[in-house]
Amino acid sequence: MQEKELLALLEEVRTGTLNPEQAAGRLKGAAFEDLGYAKVDHHRAKRQGAAEVIFGEGKTPEQMDGIVRSMMDRGAENILITRLSPEKEAQLQIPRRYSIPARLAVANPVEIPHTGAIAVVSAGTSDLPVCEEAALTAEALGSRVFRVYDAGVAGLHRLLAELETLEHARCIIAVAGMEGALPSVVGGLVSCPVIAVPTSIGYGANLGGLAALLAMLNSCASGVSVVNIDNGFGAGFLAHRINQMKGLEET
């Protein structure tokens, strides 16, 4: 429910057109819209600070169009659609920006200010799709993002050359496959929270990212948290929340 709708509802209660119970019922009904195939949560932004995110896998282009248009009718902007294949993206009818590597679309895109500082660090170039999913998610939500790519521990000088950028970040997303060592090294160099993202990149014993996941869960560096394998979106969303916490000095 938009602000003007809420004010009109309050006026109806004030004038006696509606009683409080009727007003509460109308508010409850406005919290989501039932499209038959989806119940669109229109109060997500009020509760969590960001609109509902659409998971693209398993949805048809028509379903995604319908969900986005329902959200746009309520004023939603920069609506994220994750895990969206290029084939489905080409069939969408809604305004959008799209990143093929990240498989991420931003529907009804508008320019917004970017604040704070998040650093997204990748161990290797092969990890970039997950990195970009994280970076674009955080940027769509309003965070300033710095990219430090191909800086794995096999060549530590590459990471140390970016130490000034890392030290000025409010939060760091460290993305790695193989043995997943990067987050532990980064965590030992900085004072801000580090979000570790294991990727499915690696040779046979990497086990589709399981080896990196277990290594990150067992990190000896304090202040490192871990999201699931290839979950760049989850890391980007969490990093944005950390970056936007009140009381932190603007970077």
Side-chain angles (χ1 to χ4, degrees):
M1 181 173 287
Q2 298 294 300
E3 183 178 355
K4 62 181 180 181
E5 296 174 308
L6 182 57
L7 291 173
L9 182 65
L10 291 173
E11 180 63 17
E12 288 187 71
V13 174
R14 188 188 69 80
T15 59
T17 307
L18 285 179
N19 62 44
E21 290 76 18
Q22 291 171 322
R26 191 182 295 182
L27 281 172
K28 183 178 180 181
F32 69 90
E33 181 178 356
D34 192 345
L35 302 180
Y37 53 84
K39 292 181 173 62
V40 184
D41 184 355
H42 292 303
H43 282 192
R44 185 76 59 90
K46 293 180 175 62
R47 298 195 315 273
Q48 297 189 342
E52 183 174 7
V53 176
I54 301 167
F55 183 67
E57 280 187 17
K59 292 183 178 67
T60 66
E62 293 76 18
Q63 289 171 337
M64 288 183 276
D65 277 337
I67 294 169
V68 169
R69 292 196 183 283
S70 172
M71 297 172 68
M72 288 174 59
D73 287 344
R74 298 296 188 97
E77 300 170 334
N78 291 336
I79 303 162
L80 291 168
I81 308 175
T82 65
R83 302 303 163 98
L84 176 62
S85 69
E87 295 76 19
K88 288 184 180 180
E89 187 274 334
Q91 300 177 59
L92 294 178
Q93 302 298 313
I94 42 100
R96 64 201 180 275
R97 292 195 306 260
Y98 182 60
S99 167
I100 293 177
R103 293 188 297 157
L104 181 79
V106 181
N108 196 23
V110 298
E111 294 299 321
I112 57 175
H114 292 133
T115 61
I118 294 171
V120 179
V121 187
S122 83
T125 304
S126 297
D127 301 311
L128 293 196
V130 177
C131 290
E132 280 300 293
E133 184 181 45
L136 293 171
T137 294
E139 287 177 334
L141 295 172
S143 286
R144 182 184 297 115
V145 176
F146 298 93
R147 292 159 170 82
V148 179
Y149 289 170
D150 195 25
V153 299
L156 191 58
H157 52 288
R158 299 175 299 178
L159 182 64
L160 296 178
E162 302 287 349
L163 191 55
E164 184 176 357
T165 298
L166 302 183
E167 289 175 337
H168 283 86
R170 292 180 178 177
C171 181
I172 296 173
I173 300 171
V175 183
M178 300 291 185
E179 82 284 15
L182 179 64
S184 291
V185 175
V186 172
L189 293 173
V190 299
S191 59
C192 67
V194 176
I195 302 172
V197 188
T199 72
S200 52
I201 300 299
Y203 296 106
N206 171 264
L207 303 175
L210 181 59
L213 172 65
L214 293 175
M216 293 175 185
L217 288 171
N218 285 282
S219 174
C220 63
S222 302
V224 174
S225 61
V226 187
V227 298
N228 212 338
I229 299 168
D230 292 335
N231 189 10
F233 161 73
F237 199 100
L238 177 58
H240 168 74
R241 284 195 167 180
I242 293 171
N243 181 49
Q244 297 297 314
M245 289 177 65
K246 293 181 179 179
L248 290 177
E249 181 180 355
E250 183 65 35
T251 301

